[in-house]
């Protein structure tokens, strides 16, 4: 399973790329707002980062106010001019699907986002979207099973050999990362803090302490 960083902060992206070898980046309007950069500055910085990394996909979302396919397509084309690494995030609405289909046909990769049911994930696969993004934690916060529909999507894609890659998004814990992997997700996207938390287990620290005590009480030379 690939690990993407869910962030538009260039310091976090650089850190996760250089130290963890993350496989890609996803952003959304909230992440770009949190990065403190004007939208087009963020786009340029992400394009610059990707310039020498041909296999490093970065998802950038269109203006979420756009509702007409033609407007979505126009904005996606404009963003995509900055980098071939960009996959354009398009909402899983009817007009979003129409736009994503058009974009894929002209060679612009898309990430159909805001998917909250398996039914919403089938059409993105049929129209050849590069990615489909189910949002796990938002479902769980709403009292729903967050991972069940990811399992369904993975099974459906396997049944029909769909090439669309599942990005399990809105991931908040190591447990959700594991569940995504068990469900058969291609990719998980999470913030740096989630990955950092997933490294931690108290027994690792306890074990280190025990081994340090043993090390300190062992003669080093004959
Ligand atoms: C994924 O592509 C999204 O950017 C993200 O995971 C959405 O959820 P969040 O902003 O609540 O993490």
């Amino acid at each position: 399973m690939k690990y993407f960083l869910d962030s538009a902060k260039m310091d976090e992206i650089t850190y996760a790329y250089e130290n963890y070898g993350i496989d890609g980046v996803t952003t959304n309007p909230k992440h770009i707002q949190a990065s403190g950069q004007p939208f087009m500055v963020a786009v340029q910085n992400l394009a610059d980062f990707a310039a020498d990394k041909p296999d490093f996909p970065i998802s950038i979302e269109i203006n979420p106010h756009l509702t007409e396919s033609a407007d979505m397509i126009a904005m996606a084309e404009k963003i995509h001019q900055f980098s071939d690494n960009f996959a354009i995030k398009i909402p899983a609405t009817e007009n979003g699907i129409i736009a994503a289909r058009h974009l894929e046909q002209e060679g612009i990769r898309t990430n159909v986002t805001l998917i909250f049911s398996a039914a919403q994930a089938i059409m993105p696969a049929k129209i050849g979207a590069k990615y489909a993004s189910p949002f796990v934690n938002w479902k769980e916060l709403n009292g729903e099973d967050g991972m069940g529909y990811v399992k369904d999507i993975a099974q459906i894609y396997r049944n029909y050999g769909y090439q669309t890659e599942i990005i399990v998004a809105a991931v908040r814990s190591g447990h959700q990362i594991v569940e995504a992997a068990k469900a058969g997700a291609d990719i998980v996207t999470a913030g740096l803090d989630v990955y950092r938390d997933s490294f931690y287990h108290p027994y690792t620290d306890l074990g280190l302490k025990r081994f340090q005590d043993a090390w300190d009480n062992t003669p080093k030379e004959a």
Side-chain angles (χ1 to χ4, degrees):
M1 186 171 68
K2 291 177 187 164
Y3 275 18
F4 283 6
L5 189 72
D6 205 15
S7 174
K9 293 179 179 167
M10 297 312 302
D11 57 340
E12 291 187 353
I13 293 168
T14 302
Y15 181 88
Y17 180 77
E18 291 181 352
N19 293 290
Y20 307 160
I22 49 153
D23 303 292
V25 163
T26 52
T27 68
N28 64 31
K30 278 175 52 190
H31 291 317
I32 291 182
Q33 181 194 21
S35 77
Q37 306 166 94
F39 179 76
M40 291 312 296
V41 172
V43 168
Q44 183 64 64
N45 284 334
L46 290 163
D48 291 346
F49 186 81
D52 58 351
K53 304 173 188 69
D55 298 320
F56 190 79
I58 297 176
S59 288
I60 300 188
E61 193 152 347
I62 57 168
N63 177 348
H65 289 291
L66 299 178
T67 54
E68 298 301 322
S69 302
D71 297 333
M72 294 179 185
I73 291 165
M75 182 161 188
E77 288 172 342
K78 181 179 172 195
I79 297 171
H80 189 260
Q81 282 174 357
F82 284 75
S83 173
D84 285 340
N85 295 48
F86 288 168
I88 310 301
K89 287 175 89 170
I90 305 282
T93 58
E94 179 179 0
N95 283 344
I97 292 293
I98 292 167
R101 179 168 177 264
H102 178 98
L103 291 164
E104 289 288 346
Q105 284 173 347
E106 63 180 20
I108 296 178
R109 301 322 310 252
T110 59
N111 176 349
V112 177
T113 189
L114 291 165
I115 290 178
F116 294 94
S117 73
Q120 286 181 298
I122 297 175
M123 193 60 98
K126 285 175 67 62
I127 58 103
K130 174 71 176 167
Y131 305 109
S133 291
F135 279 34
V136 164
N137 206 62
W138 291 23
K139 293 262 281 185
E140 293 189 4
L141 286 174
N142 197 42
E144 298 177 55
D145 175 5
M147 207 57 75
Y149 81 127
V150 175
K151 290 181 192 154
D152 291 343
I153 296 166
Q155 183 182 334
I156 293 163
Y157 284 10
R158 275 197 307 275
N159 287 352
Y160 294 96
Y162 290 135
Q163 297 302 302
T164 299
E165 295 178 48
I166 302 168
I167 304 180
V168 173
V171 165
R172 299 284 188 274
S173 69
H175 177 71
Q176 289 174 337
I177 293 174
V178 171
E179 291 301 309
K182 284 162 62 182
D186 300 285
I187 301 151
V188 70
T189 191
L192 198 53
D193 54 340
V194 177
Y195 290 125
R196 283 198 171 123
D197 285 350
S198 75
F199 300 152
Y200 176 76
H201 195 287
Y203 278 16
T204 305
D205 287 354
L206 179 65
L208 272 174
K209 176 73 177 64
R210 285 180 182 168
F211 293 161
Q212 285 164 357
D213 289 346
W215 177 269
D216 293 345
N217 290 293
T218 300
K220 304 301 180 292
E221 305 294 340

